[in-house]
Amino acid sequence: MRIFSYFLSGIVLFILTGCMPSSEEIKKETIESAEQAFSSKKQKSNETSDLFSYYLPEDFQVKETKKANVLLEKGNQSFILFVNQNEDESSKVSYETLAEQYKEPFISETFERDNEFGYIFVVKIDKNLYEVTVGLGGTKLTTESEAHNLHDDVQGMMEIVKSVQ
């Protein structure tokens, strides 16, 4: 009976492991989501802070607003939106700072179009946890995301940073 239990556990583990996407699949899906959101039409603003306005998807909520930062939540996941008003949409300063800080990121991808510089920068924190930063010029949005949520999180994040005015 014990041997059968080990055998059955092994089969279940093998099946579950085979169903998980590979790191390369996760990277590809995440980059595609970011690029698609970057290339799409800018969403209309539906939220305003003291210094800027921005689009906030329905599943996000504003938790706290400070001068150049907005703390957002989506369920129990936190996001921080930072807007440097001294940098325009073509600025590469935020991206270059991340690239200097992290020498071997999981994802480092840039997008350029119509005088806009966008990027996605993902660093692996743990086996299934990533620090994700999505930016457009001097605006960036950062969170921690699990592997299976990366592509969805990145798409919503890019929609938000792209909308900041």
Side-chain angles (χ1 to χ4, degrees):
M1 185 68 170
R2 181 177 248 172
I3 293 173
F4 178 72
S5 176
Y6 288 134
F7 178 72
L8 189 58
S9 296
I11 290 174
V12 169
L13 183 61
F14 177 75
I15 290 171
L16 289 176
T17 305
C19 294
M20 289 185 213
S22 70
S23 290
E24 289 306 311
E25 290 173 318
I26 292 169
K27 284 180 185 180
K28 183 181 176 206
E29 288 177 359
T30 302
I31 292 167
E32 286 174 356
S33 290
E35 188 170 21
Q36 181 182 16
F38 177 78
S39 299
S40 68
K41 185 179 173 185
K42 185 182 281 192
Q43 298 283 345
K44 291 183 181 179
S45 297
N46 60 4
E47 288 288 331
T48 305
S49 75
D50 291 342
L51 298 177
F52 55 91
S53 60
Y54 57 98
Y55 167 74
L56 193 64
E58 286 182 21
D59 49 348
F60 283 79
Q61 295 177 342
V62 176
K63 184 173 182 184
E64 185 178 346
T65 302
K66 295 195 177 178
K67 190 171 185 175
N69 297 316
V70 178
L71 185 59
L72 304 172
E73 282 187 338
K74 178 180 165 186
N76 54 1
Q77 184 178 6
S78 295
F79 298 76
I80 185 157
L81 175 63
F82 173 76
V83 179
N84 181 345
Q85 297 206 315
N86 296 320
E87 303 291 332
D88 64 16
E89 292 178 332
S90 65
S91 174
K92 297 179 181 179
V93 172
S94 291
Y95 173 77
E96 290 169 349
T97 301
L98 285 170
E100 286 176 18
Q101 185 177 358
Y102 299 101
K103 298 299 181 193
E104 294 184 34
F106 180 68
I107 298 173
S108 176
E109 193 74 28
T110 62
F111 316 102
E112 292 187 66
R113 183 180 119 179
D114 300 333
N115 206 30
E116 292 179 332
F117 178 80
Y119 64 90
I120 174 174
F121 203 90
V122 180
V123 177
K124 194 168 192 170
I125 297 173
D126 202 354
K127 181 179 178 182
N128 194 39
L129 189 64
Y130 299 85
E131 179 182 292
V132 182
T133 302
V134 171
L136 180 69
T139 300
K140 67 180 181 178
L141 184 59
T142 303
T143 193
E144 289 183 356
S145 181
E146 293 181 357
H148 66 276
N149 291 331
L150 269 175
H151 66 280
D152 287 335
D153 287 344
V154 163
Q155 183 165 359
M157 292 169 73
M158 185 61 83
E159 289 175 353
I160 293 169
V161 298
K162 188 171 170 85
S163 73
V164 172
Q165 300 176 15

